[in-house]
Amino acid sequence: MDFLLMQIDPVAFNLGPVAVRWYGILIATGIIIAYVVAQREMTKRGFKDDFLTDLLIWTVPIAIICARIYYVLFEWSYYKEHPGQIVQIWQGGIAIHGALIGGAITVLIFCKKRGVNFWKVADILAPSILIGQIIGRWGNFMNQEAYGSVVERSFLESLYLPNWIIEQMNVQGFYHHPTFLYESMWNIVGLIVLLLLRKVNLLRGEIFLIYVMWYSFGRYFVEGLRTDSLYIGPLRTAQMVSLIALVIAVIVMIYRRKKMNPVVRYKDK
């Protein structure tokens, strides 16, 4: 079947002069599924139906803008020569750490304005954030970006990957580590872990902190395989940020366990 040996066109279809790319479709799909999952949990936890909608109206665009700004800043040597491409987000080039930082700040401010506990909301959103990341990485796959170093085709075959994934990892005649897949699979396991931890009824805020630890730990190692990392001097930016986030999350969890009084758990109103 020759079509299994063909690379995937990053453009899904055209609406007149507008090219609709798989990247955008997958990002939108991730947001929708993440919203549905979070909304169901919000209802269980006693939130009004419009709370999450109002929150996302602010958080999603700000997170996307921050993700782009983060990426552009660390690739400024290129974008200062091509300023017209700064807004071309549909071509790829967003950094999840930028989205997470911008999104977290937005949620914090929104919760403060509404008089709602930030940690309670963050716990509910954590699995949905992973859902968005899981699906979003397949957008990178469609764009043939965020891949790793060169490998033999036989290595990819040894992972029992279907041909359509293997061939999409063939970039300019060389096969590469499917780091998008490594991170996506790591996040799927993380999603299962977070959903199970809801039943454990941890202290409020700990599901979100465990999300930060889980994602940061996996991203640190996956990033080491990638060929398109952003850098601060000789350091890979994503590895540095992941390590800092992991350490901060551990410290915050230990501190809150010692200082939380009264003790409030995930399922508490």
Side-chain angles (χ1 to χ4, degrees), residues 120-254:
K120 183 176 182 179
V121 175
D123 276 347
I124 294 172
L125 294 180
S128 289
I129 297 171
L130 274 180
I131 289 171
Q133 291 174 290
I134 290 165
I135 298 174
R137 277 303 177 206
W138 287 86
N140 296 134
F141 166 74
M142 295 297 188
N143 276 356
Q144 287 189 306
E145 61 188 10
Y147 50 77
S149 54
V150 173
V151 295
E152 296 293 330
R153 193 183 200 279
S154 58
F155 171 79
L156 299 179
E157 292 172 345
S158 72
L159 299 178
Y160 299 100
L161 299 177
N163 280 329
W164 58 274
I165 290 182
I166 292 175
E167 288 308 314
Q168 194 70 359
M169 288 297 97
N170 182 351
V171 182
Q172 296 181 345
F174 296 95
Y175 291 95
H176 294 262
H177 274 291
T179 47
F180 86 94
L181 181 62
Y182 302 158
E183 186 173 321
S184 185
M185 296 302 295
W186 174 256
N187 287 342
I188 288 174
V189 177
L191 175 61
I192 295 170
V193 169
L194 294 189
L195 293 177
L196 291 174
L197 287 176
R198 281 179 171 176
K199 302 181 183 297
V200 176
N201 203 22
L202 297 174
L203 299 184
R204 179 174 290 173
E206 291 192 342
I207 291 179
F208 176 72
L209 291 171
I210 290 171
Y211 154 72
V212 174
M213 296 176 202
W214 183 275
Y215 176 68
S216 298
F217 183 83
R219 178 61 186 273
Y220 180 88
F221 289 101
V222 172
E223 190 68 24
L225 297 173
R226 286 177 55 170
T227 59
D228 61 343
S229 298
L230 302 175
Y231 282 86
I232 298 178
L235 303 176
R236 294 177 188 256
T237 305
Q239 285 189 315
M240 184 177 65
V241 173
S242 294
L243 187 58
I244 292 171
L246 176 60
V247 171
I248 290 176
V250 171
I251 292 173
V252 170
M253 178 177 283
I254 293 172

Side-chain angles (χ1 to χ4, degrees), residues 87-100:
V87 298
Q88 295 179 12
I89 195 170
W90 55 88
Q91 298 287 354
I94 60 175
I96 187 62
H97 279 131
L100 293 174

Side-chain angles (χ1 to χ4, degrees), residues 23-122:
Y23 186 87
I25 292 173
L26 287 165
I27 292 294
T29 301
I31 292 172
I32 292 169
I33 296 176
Y35 169 82
V36 171
V37 172
Q39 184 62 60
R40 291 183 62 184
E41 191 66 12
M42 285 272 179
T43 300
K44 289 181 181 179
R45 301 275 74 83
F47 284 87
K48 294 181 179 180
D49 291 341
D50 61 351
F51 180 88
L52 182 59
T53 302
D54 292 345
L55 174 61
L56 293 186
I57 286 173
W58 289 98
T59 305
V60 171
I62 291 175
I64 293 174
I65 291 170
C66 288
R68 183 59 171 177
I69 291 173
Y70 184 102
Y71 183 86
V72 169
L73 286 176
F74 286 105
E75 291 286 352
W76 185 243
S77 60
Y78 173 82
Y79 284 104
K80 71 179 180 181
E81 302 295 333
H82 305 85
Q85 295 183 21
I86 291 176
V87 298
Q88 295 179 12
I89 195 170
W90 55 88
Q91 298 287 354
I94 60 175
I96 187 62
H97 279 131
L100 293 174
I101 293 169
I105 293 173
T106 304
V107 173
L108 181 62
I109 294 172
F110 185 90
C111 288
K112 187 174 181 180
K113 293 284 188 181
R114 290 293 183 95
V116 177
N117 185 275
F118 165 78
W119 295 108
K120 183 176 182 179
V121 175

